[in-house]
Amino acid sequence: MPRHSPSLDRATPGRIAESALLLVDEGGPEALTFRALAARLDISLASLQRRCTDLAGLLDLCTDHLAARLPAIEPGTDWATATETRFVALFRLLAAHPGLLALRGTRPWLGPNLLARLVEPQLADSLAAGMNPVEAITAYRRMYLLTLGSASFVDHRDPKAAQAATRIALAALDPEEFPALTGHLAAIVPAVTDDEVYYGALRQLIRAADPRRAAAEESRR
């Protein structure tokens, strides 16, 4: 029988993902290397590569590990409430890990947990609420892109630093060329890190897509 390797026990998908996320959260995107991760897990580089062959696979593992934390929605929850709950949870997960967002770039956010906890139930709920397939996927994509973009825009873990950087950049502009930007710093700078901007935009999209609203408007015609 082949000898059992204790290092492979330490290199479970969950431990790999958690350790990789800690590296990125503590040191930024550049801190995530296979050597650093193997050292964090106390395993050999070869053992880690048996579990995760490349950076793309490692990032997929991390994102799907996070997606497992998305909430399961109780059956019978109304469409608007279920939709807001899912996307707000996704936003908070993503905003908590800006380094991972930077590393993934334009790679698609797909994986078994994301599909099972967000995409499939959201589309199924939308179809059950009366949307046709095109309406359902369009509504999903609008809310998904809003969420991904809002989470990626700044480091939500350090709003003071994000506001300071924004203030410095805008203050350096020529007031004659950019009067709107330089003349309203007191309003613009706090908005950069105001999560209520995201929540308000999400609710607007939900209201616009809500099948109950569309049915009520149709009945009044």
Side-chain angles (χ1 to χ4, degrees), residues 20-113:
L21 288 167
L22 281 173
L23 279 173
V24 175
D25 291 344
E26 293 168 359
E30 63 280 358
L32 183 60
T33 67
F34 270 68
R35 290 191 182 280
L37 183 55
R40 174 69 67 99
L41 289 163
D42 192 24
I43 62 174
S44 70
L45 185 60
S47 294
L48 176 60
Q49 290 173 328
R50 288 192 195 101
R51 294 293 198 195
C52 243
T53 57
D54 57 19
L55 180 61
L58 176 58
L59 295 177
D60 287 343
L61 185 69
C62 291
T63 53
D64 209 49
H65 181 75
L66 286 179
R69 302 176 188 173
L70 292 172
I73 307 298
E74 286 290 326
T77 303
D78 74 272
W79 180 86
T81 300
T83 299
E84 182 172 345
T85 300
R86 287 191 187 102
F87 281 99
V88 167
L90 178 64
F91 171 75
R92 290 174 177 169
L93 274 181
L94 299 180
H97 301 283
L100 179 63
L101 281 169
L103 282 170
R104 285 197 63 89
T106 59
R107 286 177 54 77
W109 288 77
L110 296 174
N113 283 320

Side-chain angles (χ1 to χ4, degrees), residues 7 23 35 45 62 74 76 79 84 94 98 112 132 135 140 156-157 177 182 204 211 216 219:
S7 66
L23 279 173
R35 290 191 182 280
L45 185 60
C62 291
E74 286 290 326
W79 180 86
E84 182 172 345
L94 299 180
N132 63 44
E135 291 169 337
Y140 171 84
H156 296 264
R157 300 173 308 167
E177 188 175 359
T182 59
Q204 285 181 331
S219 68

